[in-house]
Amino acid sequence: TEKDTSKDKDKPNVSFKDVAGLEEIKEELQETIDFINNSQKYKKMGAKIPKGILFFGPPGTGKTLLAKAVAGETNSTFLYASGSEFVEKYVGVGAKRVRTLFERAKKEAPSIVFIDEIDAIGTKRNMESNNEKDQTLNQLLIELDGFNNNETVIVIGATNRIDLLDEALLRPGRFDRHIYVGNPNIKAREKILEVHTSNKPLDKTISIKDLAKKTTGLSGAQLANIANEAAIIAVRKNKTIISSFEFDAAIERVLAGLELKNPSVL
Ligand code: ATP
């Protein structure tokens, strides 16, 4: 559930409790949260705070959600960008967008800049140069290197294809923390389903444990989708409560949708 009801749209009202089943990752991110919340202490000690984190792994596993939650936990400004927004025909346009994004991040610091699909701008530069793409990537590298110690700006990149990224991006001082966000195991699926059914009237006979068992291989996004579909099916049937019947229908619907798109996933 997107609980983004805060008045200021750029200050997400999402916290770690909205992110289910990624306990180790949340623990790892506590350090970053401490850097942001106590940045003065680190500055006084002359420590530069690590500012680039890369989330990698399959789609729909909560990468965006985690980044938003880091902003929510630290009351930081959340700036979302997708790598594809920077891909332009005319030389210099993408680079300028990168510059503008970081100017804003510094102005509204502390901030989290989240760049989804960072591979769209960050793939390996090759011999036959693509001027526009290279300039955009170079500008991103400049921004990553250039933060002075006065503003707290953390950059979180996300990709499904870490193998395609230019090594320059992954170097110390840039995106030097790499965190794998994978599909949930049975326990995590149970927790995710709990989060996404907590606001829904469920029949007592529903076993979240059983639902977790039936949904092997699905992502958090797909589980959220199933919970929502079950609610929609219940409304259509004029029910006041969601039973396992609606859940089974919802699972079937989501799995069928997957099968159509990519028969090999099942
Ligand atoms: P993509 O790579 O496609 O951008 P992503 O990894 O960024 O995907 P999100 O956009 O964070 O995935 O997830 C989509 C939605 O799925 C979330 O807004 C949330 O509703 C749900 N979701 C995914 N993972 C979790 C989780 N661990 N706990 C709770 N909800 C989750």
Side-chain angles (χ1 to χ4, degrees):
T1 38
E2 292 290 3
K3 289 190 198 143
D4 208 320
T5 52
S6 54
K7 283 209 192 76
D8 187 348
K9 264 194 87 196
D10 295 331
K11 301 264 180 187
N13 194 7
V14 175
S15 74
F16 272 172
K17 69 175 174 355
D18 300 306
V19 186
L22 297 170
E23 302 313 319
E24 280 172 33
I25 295 175
K26 288 194 258 182
E27 208 153 292
E28 210 172 328
L29 291 172
Q30 280 303 337
E31 194 187 35
T32 302
I33 288 172
D34 192 57
F35 286 144
I36 302 172
N37 286 341
N38 299 299
S39 58
Q40 289 309 325
K41 276 198 217 162
Y42 292 92
K43 274 172 207 164
K44 275 191 197 129
M45 204 60 82
K48 267 204 197 123
I49 68 172
K51 55 208 172 200
I53 302 172
L54 186 73
F55 291 156
F56 67 106
T61 47
K63 296 184 284 298
T64 310
L65 191 65
L66 273 168
K68 269 192 193 164
V70 172
E73 294 281 341
T74 53
N75 202 24
S76 298
T77 305
F78 182 76
L79 297 176
Y80 176 94
S82 171
S84 53
E85 289 164 26
F86 300 103
V87 180
E88 285 295 333
K89 229 173 36 212
Y90 299 105
V91 174
V93 176
K96 182 160 192 297
R97 284 202 188 131
V98 171
R99 217 176 305 127
T100 307
L101 175 66
F102 281 87
E103 270 164 19
R104 197 174 150 208
K106 281 180 248 180
K107 210 162 79 195
E108 297 176 26
S111 37
I112 307 291
V113 175
F114 180 72
I115 308 177
D116 205 0
E117 297 174 49
I118 196 162
D119 42 281
I121 40 173
T123 48
K124 294 181 175 65
R125 288 166 290 189
N126 52 25
M127 303 310 272
E128 57 204 87
S129 85
N130 171 341
N131 254 323
E132 163 57 13
K133 206 178 121 272
D134 290 357
Q135 278 200 19
T136 307
L137 177 54
N138 287 336
Q139 188 61 39
L140 178 60
L141 296 174
I142 288 169
E143 299 294 349
L144 288 166
D145 293 342
F147 296 151
N148 55 40
N149 245 353
N150 293 326
E151 304 105 349
T152 306
V153 177
I154 303 285
V155 194
I156 302 180
T159 180
N160 307 320
R161 294 298 307 270
I162 193 174
D163 56 306
L164 296 180
L165 295 183
D166 198 293
E167 283 86 22
L169 264 179
L170 306 176
R171 250 175 239 146
R174 295 173 178 167
F175 290 104
D176 48 11
R177 313 235 154 162
H178 308 159
I179 298 181
Y180 178 72
V181 189
N183 275 328
N185 63 19
I186 186 163
K187 195 78 211 147
R189 290 198 300 279
E190 201 180 318
K191 289 195 180 140
I192 293 170
L193 285 164
E194 268 163 17
V195 163
H196 288 278
T197 53
S198 67
N199 63 344
K200 298 178 174 63
L202 297 189
D203 190 287
K204 282 192 197 66
T205 58
I206 285 187
S207 156
I208 299 282
K209 262 200 172 70
D210 283 348
L211 292 176
K213 260 186 218 154
K214 287 180 192 167
T215 48
T216 308
L218 298 193
S219 68
Q222 289 160 342
L223 295 170
N225 192 12
I226 285 172
N228 193 51
E229 283 286 332
I232 288 172
I233 294 168
V235 171
R236 291 229 182 97
K237 295 204 293 190
N238 281 322
K239 293 201 158 186
T240 52
I241 200 161
I242 308 171
S243 73
S244 50
F245 188 84
E246 282 78 50
F247 259 101
D248 286 342
I251 291 173
E252 216 166 279
R253 197 178 273 185
V254 169
L255 292 181
L258 290 180
E259 209 162 10
L260 285 177
K261 268 191 257 163
N262 180 6
S264 68
V265 296
L266 295 178

